[in-house]
Amino acid sequence: MTVSIWQSNLPPLREVDFLIVGAGLVGCTAAYFAAQAGRQVVITDALDVALGASSRNAGFMISSVDVYYHHAIAKYGHDVTREIWHLAKRSQALWYEFINRAGGTVKFQRTGSLLLAESEAEAEDLAQAADAMLADDLNIIHHKTDPLKRGYFAAIEQPDDGAVQPFELVHAIRQQSGVSVIPNNELYHITQHDDKFVTAYTRMFIFKARQVLLCTNAYSPRLHPYFINKVVPTRAQCLVTEPLVAPVLNTCGYSDYGYMYYRMTFDNRLLIGGGRKQNIALENDTTEDRVTDPVQQVLDNYLKRHFPDVTVPVSRRWAGIMGFTPDSLPLVGVLPDMPDVGFAVGFTGHGLSLGAGTAERAVNMMLHGTHPGALDAKRLEPAV
Ligand SMILES: Cc1cc2nc3c(=O)[nH]c(=O)nc-3n(C[C@H](O)[C@H](O)[C@H](O)COP(=O)(O)OP(=O)(O)OC[C@H]3O[C@@H](n4cnc5c(N)ncnc54)[C@H](O)[C@@H]3O)c2cc1C
């Protein structure tokens, strides 16, 4: 958005050292690292802590690249694939540290995870993925048949993964950061005219900040044209059933190449998510946070096909908005026209897999000038 002459000095000026925009998983984790490094940090959010994708997700902490491992090697090269896997492991370790420090206030279960094949063809692909992962010494188990006996064809088990209550996690990270959040305070314009300060126009304040980090994920293209076609808002949907008498699963994970996913909640509800593959046009390029019948129909059908023993009604359906990048890897960098405005965005549905390590890299880039590695957003900029 632009700023008119009438708006230009309306809200009071507030000087800040390090301003973070977005109080989701990534913004709160970045706040933790910046505060630990001794910076005076403030977070501003259009809504409040964890009201975006960070508490609308399925809560899987699954180490993953966006496609099966051998396909990732073909897509990104072996070095980048290994780097992203290590970033996922780093993120997982950081989440587990936050959870442990939270002393029981964040529900979490180290369930492990299963990547399940929905067809013979996917099972063959999974076998190749398993070979490539084992060749890289990754901690996985290849099941040549369906370990759940629910109509799948094969699986890769990742014993280190887990499932969390994501809303509680973000609040715990915010609390451990010691940083305060200004809620209901959308950033609508940002400029940097000289080397000294970034000017950030928000509803309640015009901030003069030494540095700003945008953790606005799916909503980034609304903030600056740099993100147009680099971060595409993409809807994801879930459902949960009423509580079951006993859990029908002791794991969580994906099937159909990650397009479908499942877990138990901590009060024994079955959660099913996905349904985007059959509805790409409907679900892509939208910030409309609502459920749609065609996607929910896919979820209902999946529930009937793989969990016919679950006969309790569905109790809740919801949606959230993810930020997809063209190559599915997150983006870390600084805005080309504003050297003190950095960003960590574009998690492509994998913020609980890659978010903590990405936030750490973004803060290190802002504070110490370190290179963000394979996450460097310059990879998407036209060569000059
Ligand atoms: C249904 C669903 C299921 C998912 N399941 C999983 C999963 O199981 N595992 C996994 O790894 N990932 C999953 N994801 C993806 C994961 O939730 C995201 O990758 C992650 O939450 C991104 O975190 P974030 O902090 O970058 O973004 P968000 O949580 O969206 O936070 C961005 C914040 O920025 C604020 N903001 C935006 N614009 C402005 C502005 N102009 N001014 C001020 N504030 C602003 C928003 O209000 C929001 O609070 C899922 C997503 C969805 C929707």
Side-chain angles (χ1 to χ4, degrees):
M1 276 205 277
T2 53
V3 179
S4 78
I5 185 69
W6 323 117
Q7 298 164 336
S8 62
N9 54 10
L10 258 187
L13 261 186
R14 180 165 166 185
E15 289 200 8
V16 295
D17 175 27
F18 197 95
L19 178 68
I20 292 179
V21 184
L25 270 170
V26 177
C28 291
T29 308
Y32 175 86
F33 286 118
Q36 287 280 306
R39 299 295 295 267
Q40 300 302 309
V41 187
V42 170
I43 309 178
T44 186
D45 196 288
L47 300 169
D48 205 341
V49 179
L51 290 183
S54 292
S55 65
R56 298 172 171 277
N57 57 52
F60 304 157
M61 289 171 167
I62 296 184
S63 297
S64 60
V65 270
D66 70 306
V67 288
Y68 286 149
Y69 200 77
H70 61 305
H71 290 309
I73 292 171
K75 181 175 171 184
Y76 304 117
H78 210 149
D79 287 348
V80 169
T81 302
R82 275 204 209 99
E83 181 185 332
I84 298 302
W85 185 268
H86 287 300
L87 184 71
K89 288 323 252 182
R90 172 71 184 150
S91 295
Q92 203 171 58
L94 288 165
W95 299 138
Y96 292 172
E97 281 173 25
F98 283 121
I99 291 166
N100 288 339
R101 277 195 297 264
T105 61
V106 179
K107 287 184 213 58
F108 169 74
Q109 236 184 331
R110 208 162 187 144
T111 51
S113 71
L114 289 175
L115 312 179
L116 291 159
E118 290 268 11
S119 64
E120 289 287 5
E122 193 179 0
E124 279 170 31
D125 235 3
L126 262 190
Q128 289 182 47
D131 287 346
M133 294 171 99
L134 291 168
D136 272 358
D137 278 334
L138 308 187
N139 184 21
I140 61 127
I141 300 158
H142 180 208
H143 297 269
K144 292 184 180 155
T145 55
D146 175 11
L148 297 180
K149 306 213 176 349
R150 289 187 172 275
Y152 300 100
F153 288 77
I156 289 176
E157 183 179 345
Q158 300 188 169
D160 300 332
D161 295 339
V164 73
Q165 208 293 21
F167 186 77
E168 292 174 354
L169 175 66
V170 186
H171 276 272
I173 297 170
R174 206 285 310 152
Q175 197 195 17
Q176 289 172 36
S177 76
V179 171
S180 59
V181 174
I182 307 173
N184 306 316
N185 195 40
E186 182 167 3
L187 174 79
Y188 59 93
H189 188 71
I190 191 158
T191 59
Q192 184 169 17
H193 288 306
D194 55 47
D195 287 340
K196 269 195 184 153
F197 286 110
V198 179
T199 308
Y201 292 85
T202 66
R203 198 168 69 74
M204 286 186 265
F205 304 101
I206 297 175
F207 289 105
K208 291 268 175 209
R210 241 175 91 197
Q211 288 184 301
V212 176
L213 183 63
L214 303 177
C215 300
T216 43
N217 204 31
Y219 307 94
S220 307
R222 289 213 300 232
L223 262 181
H224 197 284
Y226 174 81
F227 296 109
I228 293 171
N229 296 326
K230 292 192 182 75
V231 179
V232 178
T234 304
R235 187 163 47 219
Q237 300 186 37
C238 294
L239 61 75
V240 286
T241 66
E242 293 287 353
L244 304 172
V245 178
V248 290
L249 286 170
N250 58 3
T251 185
C252 67
Y254 300 108
S255 72
D256 195 10
Y257 293 91
Y259 277 103
M260 300 299 302
Y261 39 95
Y262 55 85
R263 69 172 277 188
M264 297 305 301
T265 64
F266 297 98
D267 59 352
N268 281 344
R269 298 165 194 269
L270 178 62
L271 181 155
I272 303 289
R276 218 170 45 80
K277 185 171 114 182
Q278 299 82 346
N279 295 285
I280 295 280
L282 181 63
E283 301 301 294
N284 275 16
D285 207 358
T286 178
T287 51
E288 272 184 44
D289 200 332
R290 64 183 173 90
V291 293
T292 58
D293 289 344
V295 170
Q296 291 295 324
Q297 191 64 57
V298 176
L299 304 187
D300 286 337
N301 293 344
Y302 189 89
L303 186 58
K304 278 190 208 122
R305 185 165 78 252
H306 289 297
F307 299 91
D309 46 327
V310 173
T311 52
V312 296
V314 169
S315 67
R316 186 180 291 273
R317 301 173 190 270
W318 73 90
I321 307 298
M322 312 176 289
F324 273 40
T325 63
D327 63 4
S328 306
L329 297 183
L331 301 175
V332 173
V334 294
L335 289 179
D337 50 345
M338 300 181 213
D340 293 311
V341 180
F343 53 83
V345 298
F347 290 90
T348 315
H350 287 84
L352 272 169
S353 172
L354 302 174
T358 301
E360 186 181 33
R361 282 193 192 188
V363 170
N364 284 338
M365 175 196 70
M366 299 289 289
L367 269 50
H368 311 299
T370 52
H371 193 274
L375 308 184
D376 186 2
K378 286 204 170 66
R379 70 187 189 273
L380 299 184
E381 293 170 16
V384 279

